[in-house]
Amino acid sequence: MNTKAAKILSAFTDALDLHNSNPEFIQAKHQAQIYNPWFTQESIEQSIAGWQHALSLQAREKWLQALPISPENKTETLGIIGAGNIPFVVMHDVISACISGYPLVLKLSSDDAILPKIWLKLTEEIHSESLNVSYADQLKEVDRVIATGSNNTHRYFEYYFRNKPNILRKNRHSVAILPQADSMTEAQILGLGADIFAYFGMGCRNVTQLFIPRNFDFAQIFPLWETQFGDLVNHHKYVNNYHYHKALLLMNLDPHIDAGFVLFKERNTLHAPVGMVNYTYYDDIQEVQNYLSEHQEEIQCIVSEGTEIAGLPFGTAQKPELWDYADGVNTLQWLNPA
């Protein structure tokens, strides 16, 4: 295992642990909430807790042992264009680049421009050595690129970075396959709710499409979800989305289920706006398997328990490990070619 990479990872871990004691980190969390109303205190703390779990000593060692990392500093400059849909979402790419020895030019999303900077700043202070990270509004003088954006920006990325080694990511969504309603425990039902509602459902790992057995009864899940997640309607941006899409459904006489804090629409579509979840009934699990195969390039995570289709346990979609790479592309391997 690369000792230098291990020390850098340890510094990232120690820096994050300062989030409730370091005045600069505390201030950054407050500023992030003011600048981006989607970044509530709960969302920021949830992301930090997830990162603290992912960066446990055992997890760090497992990650580094899985692939040899070159100890030499790279001569190629890496550019990263980050997303900003959930707090710290760019940091897996950043950490991967730092432990791989790349000079890094980082273009942060305007929605998450505060939190990554303070984490990197404190990490450098603890590591006592520059991580060679700079910030830019445009990526010009770079040799490799990792860029995350929407389907529209992906077309731009493909053209602009066509002559450079790249990892380009676009919109993906996550799905859940439900067993019979009477076979789900309360913990599983609440876990599925977390998979849907964490970060207001704005992450690519959030479940937006449910596959439900034909005789499934929603009445079992709504009371539990309302207790745990019903206060989402107290967030002004979320409730505005909920009311807007509810109004559209009502005006169009479009059948739907209204749980009072989230809308359910029967349709076979991966994308769902904030405040809405799609669902599809299935009679044969092979129907679901066929759909997943046809749309595998659009799916980030599959959540499934108690069915024939393997997937993540309920409640873990937004708790990725270090080796859970976005789009299934091993970033660390790409950064450290044999």
Side-chain angles (χ1 to χ4, degrees):
M1 184 171 60
N2 185 346
T3 303
K4 181 178 180 180
K7 288 182 177 178
I8 294 174
L9 266 182
S10 179
F12 271 106
T13 305
D14 293 343
L16 190 63
D17 287 342
L18 298 175
H19 73 100
N20 276 335
S21 59
N22 180 276
E24 288 182 276
F25 211 142
I26 294 171
Q27 180 63 23
K29 290 193 294 182
H30 288 308
Q31 289 175 337
Q33 294 174 56
I34 295 170
Y35 190 82
N36 183 351
W38 290 111
F39 284 14
T40 61
Q41 179 179 349
E42 180 181 5
S43 291
I44 294 173
E45 296 300 332
Q46 179 175 356
S47 180
I48 290 173
W51 272 109
Q52 288 176 322
H53 167 78
L55 288 169
S56 69
L57 178 60
Q58 183 178 8
R60 299 196 313 260
E61 291 178 346
K62 177 179 178 179
W63 192 38
L64 294 179
Q65 288 171 352
L67 182 72
I69 298 175
S70 173
E72 295 84 12
N73 289 332
K74 305 295 190 297
T75 56
E76 291 183 307
T77 298
L78 174 69
I80 294 179
I81 298 177
N85 48 328
I86 64 177
F88 299 108
V89 70
V90 72
M91 289 303 297
H92 192 281
D93 289 334
V94 171
I95 292 172
S96 298
C98 288
I99 65 174
S100 299
Y102 279 87
L104 175 59
V105 181
L106 183 55
K107 184 184 185 304
L108 294 171
S109 166
S110 59
D111 289 330
D112 189 20
I114 298 171
L115 296 172
K117 284 185 177 180
I118 187 61
W119 192 359
L120 276 161
K121 178 180 184 293
L122 295 177
T123 299
E124 285 193 322
E125 292 177 2
I126 291 171
H127 186 52
S128 302
E129 184 179 338
S130 173
L131 297 177
N132 202 359
V133 178
S134 60
Y135 301 92
D137 292 327
Q138 290 184 323
L139 299 187
K140 295 182 178 179
E141 303 301 322
V142 297
D143 303 299
R144 287 174 166 259
V145 176
I146 300 175
T148 304
S150 67
N151 289 348
N152 288 332
T153 56
H154 184 267
R155 289 191 287 269
Y156 164 79
F157 292 156
E158 282 187 313
Y159 175 79
Y160 194 77
F161 300 121
R162 64 192 182 280
N163 296 323
K164 302 180 188 293
N166 61 63
I167 295 176
L168 307 179
R169 307 192 189 103
K170 54 185 176 180
N171 291 345
R172 288 206 178 208
H173 307 279
S174 296
V175 305
I177 302 103
L178 276 60
Q180 300 298 326
D182 57 5
S183 69
M184 293 184 70
T185 66
E186 287 192 6
Q188 288 175 325
I189 293 171
L190 291 174
L192 174 62
D195 295 330
I196 294 172
F197 300 116
Y199 307 112
F200 302 99
M202 297 182 68
C204 63
R205 298 180 67 91
N206 285 106
V207 168
T208 54
Q209 172 76 47
L210 301 178
F211 293 95
I212 300 174
R214 180 68 59 181
N215 61 348
F216 189 88
D217 184 4
F218 279 100
Q220 182 187 9
I221 63 176
F222 285 163
L224 288 171
W225 280 1
E226 185 172 11
T227 300
Q228 191 75 18
F229 309 107
D231 61 355
L232 285 169
V233 293
N234 294 324
H235 187 275
H236 69 284
K237 292 182 76 68
Y238 179 91
V239 76
N240 285 344
N241 277 270
Y242 164 74
H243 283 310
Y244 172 77
H245 292 290
K246 178 179 177 178
L248 288 180
L249 292 169
L250 291 172
M251 285 190 298
N252 293 325
L253 301 178
D254 203 348
H256 63 282
I257 299 172
D258 184 359
F261 60 96
V262 64
L263 303 162
F264 282 80
K265 173 64 182 167
E266 184 178 359
R267 56 185 173 187
N268 208 9
T269 306
L270 288 169
H271 170 73
V274 171
M276 184 180 292
V277 179
N278 302 324
Y279 69 94
T280 300
Y281 289 114
Y282 70 88
D283 298 299
D284 185 341
I285 198 67
Q286 188 59 46
E287 301 170 17
V288 181
Q289 186 61 70
N290 293 342
Y291 183 93
L292 299 180
S293 298
E294 292 170 6
H295 296 83
Q296 58 183 333
E297 296 301 317
E298 305 167 60
I299 295 173
Q300 190 69 261
C301 300
I302 298 172
V303 178
S304 177
E305 287 187 73
T307 76
E308 298 171 29
I309 296 177
L312 298 172
F314 294 119
T316 63
Q318 279 293 1
K319 296 178 180 179
E321 302 287 357
L322 291 171
W323 46 88
D324 290 330
Y325 297 99
D327 296 8
V329 178
N330 190 320
T331 315
L332 210 56
Q333 188 173 49
W334 182 80
L335 290 170
N336 296 274

